[in-house]
Amino acid sequence: MRIAVVGSGYVGLVAGACFADLGHDVILVDNDQQKLAALRNGQVPIHENFLPELLGRHRGQRLTFSDDLKETVALCSVIFVAVGTPPTESGEADLSYVESVAREISGGINGYKVVVEKSTVPVYTSEWVRRIILRNGSDPEMFDVTSNPEFLREGTAVTDFLFPDRIVIGCDSDRSAEVLREVYAPLTNGSYYQRSDAIPQPDRASIPPPVIVTSTKSAELIKHASNAYLAMKISFINAVASVCESVGADVNQVVHGVGTDSRIGPRFLNPGIGYGGSCFPKDVMAFRAVARESGYDFRLLDEVMRINEDQRQRFLRKVHSALWTLRGKNLGVLGLAFKGGTDDIRESPALFLVQALLQEGSKITAYDPAAMERAREVLPSGVTFANSAYEAAHNADALLILTEWEEFANLDLNRLRQELKYPIVIDGRNLYDPEIMAAQGFTYYSVGRIAAHPDGVSAPVLKNGKKA
Ligand code: UDX
Ligand code: UDX
């Protein structure tokens, strides 16, 4: 099939590359000329596992790039819209990019087209997109507007796309549903998974994935409700972690006990410094706004957001309780991305914390395997960037772990202790076992677990073994 994907960001680029890997001819459209030039030149603008392989495989062949939306629409039968939907001041989704894309699509309709919302949008958007296309002179028989939400996590987006838990197709006509089924047929009939060059299968893949066909509105709601539910799960466990801290319980043990109930499940129950990223914060807010507009006061979502913000403040208080004063202290920071496996720093709790610590007069030396270039653009010039986790720890008064990168969970603890001025680790992602850290001579603070000290003593101990 000939497929257009409008918007080559984190979602559009992955979707386009994956559609090409399924055997479709894909044109990626973007209005950012620099990005298009970079993509044509073989650059990969984002850090995403397997994306370089897929772009390398299909670039210039099944995957081409264009800035001409109208011409692309004329050439394709399915048009996926994946432009950004940033939040407005009031928390609603700003749909102006979606609207302008809809207007342009209208000019290219020269036969039956299926327009697919891939961006996360409020429940009434498909109707608006339809109205805009009609207003601009298109024949109502010549197009359908559908919703096919993405559930891609950054860092594992390619695998999530090709091995989805489910494919949700929101359509109000059989004709458009048929077209979307055909787009995903290589996944749903299993043929993709038999190919020797298929992207490797992750654990827990449901093969072939089920297709869930719904009305367009239901599909729009499925996306918002899924993200809000996942954010709620994280806020819930963060609230439980706070109770654990108060009573001296261990949240990891609680998570194990709670998550093994198959009705609850263990995933997205990792406590930390709160969720960030381009989706959860924005989507919870937008869903809240949509509900309010439709007459339902979804106050549960306010609480999800409040707990999330509070989690960052609690972490700051933890840094204070570990170090007393912050002015002039050297802090090593591991992680700037909003989560491990990505270079994305949008709404990153790590960046928020770095900025707050800088404001309190701390000196920061930070390391992130992928996000330093992007972080450099937004952090003040006083932040030093290190080339490794150990370099960030060198001579620091304490080390802060802010992103759940796998490499941060496997550090050489002996070396780390030697690098640090004081062996204090404040871990916002629970990457280590408190007992092991204490046995290795660290004073170790984490989330939802009591602080661990070498030899069980409560005062911080210097690396030479003396009490501070
Ligand atoms: C996507 C979705 O669109 C958003 O709704 C979802 O919740 C998160 O993922 P993302 O891919 O992360 O957004 O956005 P971004 O990386 O900003 O990419 C959007 C792309 O669209 C950019 O390359 C931008 O240049 C392009 N764009 C934007 C257009 O081509 N035309 C426009 O009018 C606006
Ligand atoms: C999310 C959704 O998971 C995906 O389905 C959706 O379509 C896009 O938004 P993403 O934002 O890329 O994906 O990452 P995700 O893995 O969901 O993590 C979001 C945030 O929650 C990160 O800051 C992460 O650190 C945090 N998180 C996640 C936790 O704090 N605890 C967890 O158990 C899981």
Side-chain angles (χ1 to χ4, degrees), residues 150-154 223 227 234 268-270 275-276 279-280 338-339 404 429:
E150 49 82 16
F151 304 102
L152 313 177
R153 288 162 304 162
E154 288 178 27
K223 172 66 199 205
N227 272 0
I234 297 169
F268 278 70
L269 275 186
N270 296 322
Y275 59 76
C279 287
F280 285 174
F338 82 98
K339 61 177 273 192
E404 67 275 46
R429 301 291 191 164

Side-chain angles (χ1 to χ4, degrees), residues 51 56 66 105 204 210 269 316 389 424-425 441:
L51 188 59
S66 169
I105 286 176
R204 275 195 303 256
L269 275 186
L316 279 179
I424 300 172
V425 173

